Amino acid sequence: MNREGAGTLTVTANCGNGVTSKDTLQIYDGVLSVQAVNNGINGKDSNTIDSASITVTCGGDAIRSTNDTDGTLGWVSISNSLLDLTAGEDGVQAETALTISEGSCTAVSGGGSGVQPSDSISAKGLKAGTTLTLNGGTFTLDCSDDAVHSNGDVTVSGGVYTISTGDDALHADEALTVSAGEINILTSYEGLEGTSVSVSGGTIYIVSSDDGVNAAGGADGSGFGGFGRGTPFGGNSGSLIHISGGYLVVRAGGDGLDSNGNAIMSGGTVIVSSTGQGDGALDYDGSFTLSGGILLAADSGAMSQSPSEASQYTLSLGFDSVLPAGTFISLEREEQSLVFALPSNASHVVISSPELEGGAVYTLSYGGEYSGQTADGLCSGGTCSGGTEAAELTLSDYITTYGRADMGGRPGGPRGGTPREDWGEPPTEGMPPDQRPGGGERVPGTGWEGQQGHSGPDGMPDGRGAGRGEPPEEGAL
């Protein structure tokens, strides 16, 4: 079935599907509006949409391809199109591969992120059985289940994303790769999840009620990990988080970066915090190797870890009491001043930067005032004064420890510390304005406003702000 050319077509299906092809379906140009009791637009063997404007409201899947007998079929390809999808089940569902390039996509699935999906349906935003590739475009996804999901790999190489989900924002049963784009995850159970998670570029903001970035082996419970239901997505020594570039800000109610295997950081900027009373900003079962980039990690100190191996100078700082969010941490020496602001309440902080120099003696202070600008915990253009001097630290080793650090009982140090009553609750519905740094509103793609100067069955095979400004150049504070 082929539809092309200018003009407008409106389809109303009071029973069954709106537009259906038993073989291939191709839609080029024009305006198509579909209302259907069941599925909206169905191409069994394949579904191709290019340069079209499509609105679908339906009780089933909005756009889909369903051939599950031939691995070369069952795919969906969408390019240069405007999509407005409201689906009782999946927004876009491909039995095999799903590829979207440019255009825009607004999708509400399963009633949105505040609705718990039924165990008998899949209510994901964008879903693929083998590979899901997002090359660019503008996406606004409000989903009861995973916003972006693949039973195989997910690749993001561009685009602007605003995501609210009752489960995972981006989930891959296998490899999840982000090389470019602006990803703003307002609400999620977990932010980025896959057997392996690789970030080499882009700007990513994550708010999660559980783990911010999770690398684990095995299969996902088809989107039923949210709403307190748990997940069978288990651990595996082959799991890996690899960050080589990009700008990543994570505020997690569970672990910030959680690998059931290993973690590697060789570049980029990572600001990660955990508000969980029994969780850590960094959590890994194997090793965490750090060789480059800027890292600021803050948590309660109850289950803290630091990198297990580093070839860039790193500090693991444990304080005797909880320091409030926004507290300045200052490292001063002659002709050099490095200042960070805590992204959340914390008593344990890990700092690593290429600006730290081996053999140098730094005066560690906390508190006081800062005269420059603060963006996501990184400070620049000013000086810190009036703080409390804690210690003088000599960076004789690549990892220098101060105070009660690394208390998690995993590769990082002995067990110790207990959750504190004043730690607060993890974020469950995103971060309300009065808990945000500076008390400002968050603007998608711009960071936190006002931050400166702050004191089931799936129907497919199982397998299961202004304050931020521009991200700093790598290696610069």
Side-chain angles (χ1 to χ4, degrees), residues 37 40 53 57 86 93 131 151 210 330 338 345 359 379 394 405 421 472:
V37 171
S53 177
T57 302
T86 302
Q93 187 255 324
T131 60
N151 288 5
D210 195 52
S330 173
L338 302 179
N345 296 349
C379 301
T394 301
E421 293 182 356

Side-chain angles (χ1 to χ4, degrees), residues 106-126:
T106 297
V108 178
S109 65
S113 58
V115 177
Q116 180 173 344
S118 167
D119 289 351
S120 62
I121 69 169
S122 170
K124 298 175 172 65
L126 310 176

Side-chain angles (χ1 to χ4, degrees), residues 166-185:
D167 203 351
D168 301 336
L170 277 69
H171 172 96
D173 279 4
E174 297 180 13
L176 169 59
T177 303
V178 179
S179 60
E182 297 179 17
I183 302 174
N184 190 12
I185 301 171

Side-chain angles (χ1 to χ4, degrees), residues 129-379:
T130 57
T131 60
L132 199 161
T133 304
L134 302 174
N135 294 319
T138 301
F139 299 81
T140 302
L141 308 176
D142 185 6
C143 308
S144 172
D145 207 331
D146 295 347
V148 176
H149 175 101
S150 174
N151 288 5
D153 299 338
V154 171
T155 301
V156 179
S157 59
V160 178
Y161 304 80
T162 302
I163 297 175
S164 299
T165 171
D167 203 351
D168 301 336
L170 277 69
H171 172 96
D173 279 4
E174 297 180 13
L176 169 59
T177 303
V178 179
S179 60
E182 297 179 17
I183 302 174
N184 190 12
I185 301 171
L186 303 176
T187 306
S188 67
Y189 179 70
E190 293 188 325
L192 309 182
E193 183 175 57
T195 298
S196 66
V197 180
S198 300
V199 177
S200 60
T203 300
I204 306 171
Y205 281 83
I206 298 173
V207 174
S208 65
S209 60
D210 195 52
D211 300 337
V213 179
N214 185 25
D220 175 52
S222 187
F224 300 128
F227 298 98
R229 288 169 293 181
T231 174
F233 203 71
N236 189 305
S237 60
S239 301
L240 174 67
I241 294 175
H242 186 190
I243 301 171
S244 58
Y247 188 86
L248 177 62
V249 180
V250 178
R251 181 181 171 97
D255 296 317
L257 307 184
D258 182 1
S259 176
N260 287 16
N262 300 322
I264 297 172
M265 182 173 174
S266 57
T269 297
V270 176
I271 301 106
V272 56
S273 61
S274 168
T275 61
Q277 298 185 19
D279 300 284
L282 309 177
D283 184 10
Y284 56 93
D285 290 343
S287 63
F288 188 140
T289 303
L290 189 152
S291 60
I294 298 172
L295 173 63
L296 173 62
D299 58 39
S300 69
M303 293 294 289
S304 300
Q305 290 185 270
S306 301
S308 58
E309 181 180 349
S311 55
Q312 174 176 282
Y313 289 97
T314 302
L315 294 169
S316 177
L317 309 175
F319 298 93
D320 291 333
S321 61
V322 175
L323 302 180
T327 299
F328 295 105
I329 305 296
S330 173
L331 297 165
E332 304 280 349
R333 72 184 186 96
E334 186 177 356
E335 297 182 352
Q336 187 182 30
S337 175
L338 302 179
V339 182
F340 302 85
L342 294 182
S344 66
N345 296 349
S347 62
H348 178 258
V349 184
V350 175
I351 295 172
S352 186
S353 167
E355 297 297 308
L356 290 169
E357 296 187 13
V361 178
Y362 289 88
T363 299
L364 170 66
S365 301
Y366 61 90
E369 300 293 333
Y370 186 68
S371 62
Q373 295 185 341
T374 301
D376 299 324
L378 305 182
C379 301

